[in-house]
Amino acid sequence: VPGSRGGDGGRGAGHVFLLTDYGYDDEFAGVLRTVLAREAPRADVVDISHGVPAFDVRAGALMLERTVPHLGPGVVVAVVDPGVGTARRAVAASVVREGGPRFLVGPDNGLLAPAIEVLGGATRAVALRREPNDDAGATFDGRDVFAPAAASLWCGESLDSLGEEIDPASLVRLEPPVLSTRPGEIEAEVLWIDRFGNVQLSASPSDLDTSGIGELLEVTAAGRRFPARASSSFSVRGSHSPEGAPIGLIVDSNGRLSLVCERRSAATVLGVSERDVVTLRALSGSR
Amino acid sequence: VPGSRGGDGGRGAGHVFLLTDYGYDDEFAGVLRTVLAREAPRADVVDISHGVPAFDVRAGALMLERTVPHLGPGVVVAVVDPGVGTARRAVAASVVREGGPRFLVGPDNGLLAPAIEVLGGATRAVALRREPNDDAGATFDGRDVFAPAAASLWCGESLDSLGEEIDPASLVRLEPPVLSTRPGEIEAEVLWIDRFGNVQLSASPSDLDTSGIGELLEVTAAGRRFPARASSSFSVRGSHSPEGAPIGLIVDSNGRLSLVCERRSAATVLGVSERDVVTLRALSGSR
Amino acid sequence: VPGSRGGDGGRGAGHVFLLTDYGYDDEFAGVLRTVLAREAPRADVVDISHGVPAFDVRAGALMLERTVPHLGPGVVVAVVDPGVGTARRAVAASVVREGGPRFLVGPDNGLLAPAIEVLGGATRAVALRREPNDDAGATFDGRDVFAPAAASLWCGESLDSLGEEIDPASLVRLEPPVLSTRPGEIEAEVLWIDRFGNVQLSASPSDLDTSGIGELLEVTAAGRRFPARASSSFSVRGSHSPEGAPIGLIVDSNGRLSLVCERRSAATVLGVSERDVVTLRALSGSR
């Protein structure tokens, strides 16, 4: 257990990690932090991000999936929760990992499932009890349900004590992204466009092997075609694009394929958005 | 006292909470944190938010008022301070609460008063001494006055030692927001529009009782009328609005009335901004 | 050394400070924090800012230079790194200061040099070793190189152990900003425009003495002329500007000259951007 109630818990025994769509302008994320400071005063709280686009469960799930491989032991509170106040379940799940357990707490709307899968699957899960609240509406479960549950887990309370046990396999899952591979061609979905305009695809280096796509390729995005070149950094050799902005295809820091453009937004050059589908095709030989 | 100079202070003895209009792009909030790290290295610092609109003392005061009920013991540093460098006072106040005292530190321009009131009123207050600074201008009191005072309080120094005692009743207060209730009608001010476009009003559920407004109502905002319905979540039943976006009236997480619209910005649908005044009127029966 | 491997290190022995251009929407900064939480679980991490404009090494270097005088002991991780994955060196440098050493870790592209100089110069520096990484691309050195190096330094490992020693004088430096002073006139570069629109110049109060510019002056910016007045706060006396927005010249909180406008953006009034050059000229007598 990360901490132990009454003991000195905490430091070294795991952190509390936060990922939400609360943004930074309002106090929502701050209130999560104040509840944790009050209920688990020795816990160190680590913000993963509060910048998930509002209501975008898919984007939050992908961010959490990308982040959890790097987490040490502790409790993750993830909140992207357009259905707050409705019948959707609030859940907590535990995963056994070297160094200590990881707990994940949040709404059961698909947000947690990919991260749990990446970590090896949940051993147990519960539907969190909701304490009745007479003074205020049931529209801020981050404050009223998820952060208190995380504080309890961090302090060493058992998962059982927080609600009724449920089958981890019953957790809601999102549709998998588009990905299809055949000789000379990969069709892939844009999973994520980051601050720098890098375009992360649902495809992996193994899909290049399967399709036989080599160093030179052509990207079709939004009906337009762009020459591209496999690269190991954002500095792409050659100038293949008609706009003079060479598009590179890299294995990114998550081990996925990403389309990039040196010191420019590849998303802008390609004219793509998250959830768009692009096609990669092999080009034979050099031009 | 939260910590004690020379002792191990800190963890469990209270946190330092920050609320400013410094934003996130510049280093201003970071410099507050570095001063606290230097002067009170064992203190855990909790960001409430640095996203208060620039210079907007009223928005900062409302945010602080909404947040302080959730704080454990410690010291709050609040800075929205367009008058920095002028004759406005820099102040610190103490509030007695279960679990330990709360100290609030900031400019005396109305920012602190509502939060102090919500906490039960200040027992004592001081006007902070300003140390002369030859090398740089007096335009960053967060760094030069408020954070050092907060570090001293957290470390166990007395309020007295920081400046001259003042009457807590002398702290500057802002004008109260518009709110008037009569049978069948509530006139209320928009206090806050959050990231999701929810429109928090100055009215409370008791105003619904007073005015006799029931489940169905009409909202007049910016000269236009919208049907609305009392709801317990952001999922509003029925489609009352001409635009097909049903407006809900909820008791929000602060116990105030808020106008909401499922997965859309109610503020955009209604065309309202903070400080606008809207009218709620009872609708007789269902349509 | 800030901490000591195996000891209780940490609190009071220095912090880890972060400054990046990662922004707040993606999880990049969060992943840095998770790596530090995992590798140096007792370290307190202080965000300076993650809001440096993307790829803007100069802006990051200036921010770091402004911030380091306020830091206590510890390790700074600074990442603005458009050349990640190329041949640019990854470096760490140590500076001897009262209260304990400061370590600075980041890319060798000019980002660190001004801060090191302000702190008195590096005593030692190393080029960080890069561990081969088979699973993912070499495009996130913050996660893969800089944060692990910072965790090692915080835990008490020696600089030597992290890579090959290099001459601190070999660290890359940026071009110095424009600044020229002659009787009655200062030509200065806009170093920084902050959230409030204050315009920080490359000039200092001593340049006013050198040029003999007094209380009344004229600013030439983007081909237009504005009367201005030396001031000690953002509240500028008199209304000199044709637009009715009095421009003030203050000694700002970094000890530099800044052009300001009360509760308005001086940058907008003057029509200037970072890197622009403005001219200050003495006005004889009052108008």
Side-chain angles (χ1 to χ4, degrees):
Chain A
V1 291
S4 61
R5 186 163 288 280
D8 77 339
R11 317 226 89 198
H15 289 69
V16 178
F17 302 94
L18 306 181
L19 181 155
T20 77
D21 71 341
Y22 288 160
Y24 294 89
D25 288 344
D26 302 312
E27 73 274 19
F28 299 126
V31 169
L32 277 205
R33 289 185 284 251
T34 64
V35 170
L36 290 162
R38 201 184 63 214
E39 302 295 326
R42 286 165 177 277
D44 279 319
V45 176
V46 175
D47 293 304
I48 298 172
S49 173
H50 301 287
V52 175
F55 309 132
D56 194 339
V57 175
R58 172 186 172 278
L62 290 168
M63 184 187 283
L64 193 59
E65 182 187 22
R66 293 190 301 266
T67 305
V68 289
H70 307 292
L71 299 189
V75 186
V76 177
V77 180
V79 193
V80 181
D81 195 12
V84 64
T86 68
R88 70 96 186 87
R89 297 187 296 191
V91 295
S94 64
V95 178
V96 175
R97 297 278 285 184
E98 205 186 303
R102 273 71 165 166
F103 295 100
L104 293 97
V105 179
D108 183 25
N109 60 7
L111 183 64
L112 306 180
I116 289 172
E117 194 163 328
V118 159
L119 289 174
T123 47
R124 304 182 67 187
V126 297
L128 296 168
R129 246 192 322 276
R130 204 179 194 296
E131 308 295 339
N133 178 345
D134 292 338
D135 296 336
T139 56
F140 193 1
D141 276 1
R143 179 190 72 190
D144 299 333
V145 177
F146 301 127
S152 296
L153 289 168
W154 192 89
C155 290
E157 291 197 22
S158 69
L159 206 57
D160 293 6
S161 68
L162 300 178
E164 193 179 349
E165 188 140 12
I166 59 174
D167 180 356
S170 74
L171 292 175
V172 171
R173 283 152 202 274
L174 301 174
E175 286 294 304
V178 171
L179 175 64
S180 75
T181 304
R182 55 196 191 85
E185 188 176 306
I186 301 172
E187 201 179 43
E189 184 174 327
V190 175
L191 295 184
W192 174 41
I193 294 171
D194 71 18
R195 164 178 173 87
F196 305 102
N198 301 311
V199 177
Q200 186 177 68
L201 304 177
S202 55
S204 298
S206 63
D207 297 308
L208 289 179
D209 299 340
T210 308
S211 64
I213 295 178
E215 190 189 345
L216 297 179
L217 63 151
E218 184 180 72
V219 180
T220 305
R224 293 190 303 156
R225 295 173 180 200
F226 301 84
R229 181 189 281 266
S231 176
S232 62
S233 79
F234 298 116
S235 298
V236 182
R237 281 178 302 145
S239 176
H240 283 258
S241 159
E243 288 84 359
I247 298 291
L249 179 73
I250 65 165
V251 180
D252 71 17
S253 60
N254 301 119
R256 289 198 185 271
L257 297 181
S258 277
L259 295 164
V260 304
C261 190
E262 188 174 8
R263 299 196 193 209
R264 290 185 58 181
S265 164
T268 302
V269 171
L270 295 167
V272 295
S273 303
E274 291 182 4
R275 297 175 196 249
D276 284 356
V277 173
V278 303
T279 306
L280 311 182
R281 280 196 194 83
L283 276 189
S284 49
S286 62
R287 295 162 61 118
Chain B
V1 290
S4 62
R5 186 163 288 277
D8 77 340
R11 316 228 89 195
H15 289 69
V16 178
F17 302 94
L18 305 181
L19 182 155
T20 77
D21 70 342
Y22 289 159
Y24 294 89
D25 288 344
D26 302 310
E27 73 273 19
F28 299 126
V31 169
L32 277 205
R33 289 186 283 251
T34 64
V35 170
L36 290 163
R38 202 184 63 214
E39 302 295 326
R42 288 167 177 276
D44 278 320
V45 176
V46 175
D47 292 305
I48 298 172
S49 173
H50 301 286
V52 175
F55 310 132
D56 194 339
V57 176
R58 171 187 173 278
L62 290 167
M63 183 187 284
L64 192 59
E65 181 187 22
R66 294 190 300 267
T67 305
V68 289
H70 307 291
L71 300 188
V75 186
V76 178
V77 179
V79 192
V80 181
D81 195 13
V84 63
T86 68
R88 71 98 186 86
R89 296 188 296 192
V91 295
S94 64
V95 178
V96 175
R97 297 277 286 186
E98 206 185 302
R102 273 70 164 166
F103 294 100
L104 293 99
V105 179
D108 184 24
N109 60 7
L111 182 64
L112 306 180
I116 289 173
E117 195 163 327
V118 159
L119 289 174
T123 46
R124 304 183 67 188
V126 297
L128 296 169
R129 245 193 322 275
R130 202 176 198 299
E131 308 295 338
N133 178 347
D134 291 338
D135 295 335
T139 56
F140 193 0
D141 277 1
R143 180 190 73 190
D144 298 333
V145 177
F146 302 128
S152 296
L153 289 168
W154 191 89
C155 290
E157 290 196 23
S158 70
L159 205 56
D160 293 6
S161 68
L162 301 177
E164 194 180 348
E165 188 138 12
I166 59 173
D167 181 356
S170 74
L171 292 175
V172 170
R173 283 152 200 275
L174 302 174
E175 286 293 305
V178 171
L179 175 63
S180 74
T181 304
R182 55 196 192 85
E185 189 175 308
I186 301 172
E187 200 179 44
E189 184 174 328
V190 175
L191 295 184
W192 174 40
I193 295 171
D194 71 19
R195 165 177 173 88
F196 304 101
N198 301 311
V199 177
Q200 185 177 69
L201 303 178
S202 54
S204 298
S206 63
D207 297 308
L208 289 179
D209 299 339
T210 308
S211 65
I213 295 178
E215 190 189 346
L216 297 179
L217 63 151
E218 186 179 72
V219 180
T220 304
R224 293 189 303 154
R225 295 173 180 200
F226 302 83
R229 182 189 281 265
S231 175
S232 63
S233 80
F234 298 116
S235 298
V236 182
R237 280 179 301 144
S239 177
H240 282 259
S241 159
E243 288 84 0
I247 297 291
L249 180 72
I250 65 166
V251 180
D252 71 18
S253 61
N254 301 120
R256 290 198 186 270
L257 298 181
S258 277
L259 295 164
V260 304
C261 191
E262 188 174 8
R263 298 195 193 210
R264 291 185 55 182
S265 164
T268 302
V269 171
L270 295 168
V272 295
S273 303
E274 292 183 4
R275 298 177 196 249
D276 284 355
V277 173
V278 303
T279 307
L280 310 182
R281 279 195 195 84
L283 276 190
S284 48
S286 64
R287 294 161 60 122
Chain C
V1 290
S4 61
R5 186 163 288 277
D8 76 340
R11 319 227 88 200
H15 290 69
V16 178
F17 302 94
L18 305 181
L19 181 154
T20 76
D21 69 342
Y22 289 159
Y24 294 89
D25 288 344
D26 302 312
E27 73 273 19
F28 300 124
V31 169
L32 277 205
R33 288 185 283 252
T34 64
V35 170
L36 289 162
R38 201 185 62 214
E39 301 296 325
R42 287 166 177 276
D44 279 319
V45 176
V46 175
D47 292 304
I48 298 172
S49 174
H50 301 286
V52 175
F55 310 131
D56 195 338
V57 175
R58 173 187 172 275
L62 290 167
M63 183 187 283
L64 192 59
E65 182 187 21
R66 293 190 300 265
T67 305
V68 290
H70 307 291
L71 300 188
V75 186
V76 178
V77 180
V79 193
V80 181
D81 194 13
V84 64
T86 68
R88 71 96 186 87
R89 297 188 295 191
V91 294
S94 64
V95 178
V96 175
R97 296 278 286 186
E98 206 185 304
R102 273 71 165 167
F103 294 100
L104 293 98
V105 179
D108 184 25
N109 61 7
L111 183 63
L112 306 180
I116 289 172
E117 194 163 328
V118 158
L119 290 174
T123 46
R124 305 182 67 187
V126 298
L128 296 168
R129 244 193 323 276
R130 204 177 195 297
E131 308 295 339
N133 178 345
D134 292 338
D135 296 336
T139 56
F140 192 1
D141 276 2
R143 180 190 73 190
D144 299 332
V145 177
F146 301 128
S152 295
L153 289 169
W154 191 89
C155 290
E157 289 196 24
S158 70
L159 205 57
D160 292 5
S161 68
L162 301 177
E164 194 180 348
E165 189 139 10
I166 59 173
D167 180 357
S170 74
L171 292 175
V172 170
R173 283 151 202 274
L174 302 174
E175 286 293 305
V178 171
L179 175 64
S180 73
T181 303
R182 53 195 192 88
E185 190 175 306
I186 301 172
E187 200 179 43
E189 185 174 328
V190 175
L191 295 184
W192 174 40
I193 294 172
D194 71 18
R195 166 178 173 88
F196 304 103
N198 301 310
V199 177
Q200 186 177 69
L201 303 178
S202 53
S204 298
S206 63
D207 297 307
L208 289 179
D209 299 340
T210 307
S211 64
I213 294 178
E215 189 189 347
L216 297 179
L217 62 153
E218 185 179 72
V219 180
T220 304
R224 294 190 302 155
R225 295 173 180 201
F226 301 84
R229 181 189 282 265
S231 176
S232 63
S233 79
F234 298 116
S235 299
V236 183
R237 280 177 302 142
S239 176
H240 282 259
S241 159
E243 289 84 0
I247 298 292
L249 180 73
I250 65 166
V251 180
D252 71 17
S253 61
N254 301 119
R256 289 198 186 270
L257 297 182
S258 277
L259 295 164
V260 304
C261 190
E262 189 174 8
R263 299 196 192 209
R264 290 185 59 181
S265 164
T268 303
V269 171
L270 295 168
V272 295
S273 304
E274 293 182 3
R275 297 175 196 248
D276 284 355
V277 173
V278 302
T279 307
L280 311 182
R281 279 197 195 82
L283 276 188
S284 48
S286 62
R287 298 161 56 121

